[in-house]
Amino acid sequence: MDPDPDAEVIALSPTSLLATNRFVCEICNKGFQRDQNLQLHRRGHNLPWKLKQRNGNENRKRAYVCPEPTCVHHHPSRALGDLTGIKKHYCRKHGEKKWKCEKCDKIYAVRSDWKAHSKTCGTREYKCDCGTLFARKDSFITHRAFCDALAEESARLSAAANSTAGRHHQPSFHFVNPQNSLPPPPSPPPQPPSF
């Protein structure tokens, strides 16, 4: 989806995109990514606080480009439409993966992704009739569609081969001379019935 052509295109540095908790409460040292959130937090400590008033210029749409030159989202025509989106994109695709699941060893660059995974890791298992296990339902459904189609095709071919072999099958015996290392000759392929 192309960004709004009237949107202001903003290019943030990697340092800005990776920065967390730039605004810190002087009472409890809790950090916030936005000053507005810190101001709302300060109310809980009965400290003076002030929210910025929005003016007409702040309502202008913005689009954010990725600072990585080789990234598809580096070009303004593929810019992302919100600050959270570009931050998560940059971390996921170009950032260091710092959070590791203790159960399955998957690693994540975005803490919220790790937390969401950790809540369900090992609790949901989807098992296909073929024995393959899946942790994600969508992967299981995709696999199952192919697995079921393969099983149906195999059953159809087997049934066709059995019905053809049953009509034209005559027992054949192949005697192998133990001194001869050649395998027995192959059986001729079954001929389709003629009507």
Side-chain angles (χ1 to χ4, degrees), residues 53-126:
Q53 298 299 315
R54 289 191 172 195
N55 57 33
N57 293 339
E58 289 187 24
N59 289 335
R60 184 172 181 200
K61 289 185 180 178
R62 295 181 175 134
Y64 299 87
V65 293
C66 179
E68 188 66 36
T70 58
C71 182
V72 67
H73 295 292
H74 183 68
H75 194 273
S77 68
R78 298 293 304 271
L80 298 174
D82 67 344
L83 184 58
T84 302
I86 192 67
K87 284 184 174 198
K88 286 189 175 184
H89 158 78
Y90 186 78
C91 287
R92 286 175 180 142
K93 300 298 179 186
H94 314 295
E96 178 188 352
K97 295 187 175 184
K98 304 176 196 173
W99 289 279
K100 181 178 177 182
C101 176
E102 298 296 324
K103 297 175 189 169
C104 72
D105 293 336
K106 282 188 180 179
I107 52 174
Y108 294 89
V110 176
R111 188 170 187 259
S112 60
D113 292 346
W114 168 73
K115 285 178 84 172
H117 166 82
S118 297
K119 287 179 184 175
T120 60
C121 182
T123 61
R124 297 181 186 165
E125 285 186 346
Y126 302 93

Side-chain angles (χ1 to χ4, degrees), residues 21-25 30-44 47-55 58-59 62 83 87:
N21 302 337
R22 293 180 296 153
F23 303 96
V24 179
C25 174
K30 185 171 182 180
F32 299 91
Q33 291 184 16
R34 297 175 57 225
D35 182 52
Q36 296 284 75
N37 293 349
L38 172 61
Q39 295 303 321
L40 290 170
H41 170 81
R42 288 171 58 95
R43 293 185 338 185
L47 294 173
W49 57 278
K50 183 175 183 180
L51 295 178
K52 292 181 190 172
Q53 298 299 315
R54 289 191 172 195
N55 57 33
E58 289 187 24
N59 289 335
R62 295 181 175 134
L83 184 58
K87 284 184 174 198

